[in-house]
Amino acid sequence: MTHAHDPKGLIRESYRMDGISMDECRSILIDWALSLPVGQEPLQAIRAMLDQYGTHAPDHPMTALLQEGLTPRPPRARKGRSK
């Protein structure tokens, strides 16, 4: 069964793989993010994936990456000289 936020089942399959590494999960997560439909809110999709899979596998590397995706990033510093 596919999930509306995981139409290719990439996240689902990552949770089914025994011994999957953080790097493998990172690669899958990138593929998943690139396959989100146009207009799909990424944070909403991440939350849905955490609700669907992460609650049952809190120690899984994909759970850690999805949680990291919800962490706000500090604003980037401007480069260049001020005048």
Side-chain angles (χ1 to χ4, degrees), residues 10-78:
L10 296 172
I11 302 297
R12 181 190 69 231
E13 290 304 315
S14 73
Y15 278 97
R16 291 182 175 180
M17 295 179 187
D18 288 332
I20 191 168
S21 72
M22 183 67 81
D23 287 339
E24 291 167 322
C25 283
R26 190 171 282 112
S27 177
I28 291 168
L29 186 62
I30 290 168
D31 287 346
W32 171 80
L34 291 173
S35 69
L36 287 174
V38 173
Q40 172 66 59
E41 172 57 44
L43 293 177
Q44 179 185 23
I46 290 171
R47 285 186 194 98
M49 294 295 90
L50 280 169
D51 289 346
Q52 181 74 29
Y53 305 111
T55 57
H56 304 293
D59 297 327
H60 195 281
M62 185 59 82
T63 301
L65 288 173
L66 289 168
Q67 289 170 335
E68 185 179 319
L70 293 177
T71 305
R73 301 280 183 235
R76 295 176 69 176
R78 251 182 91 199

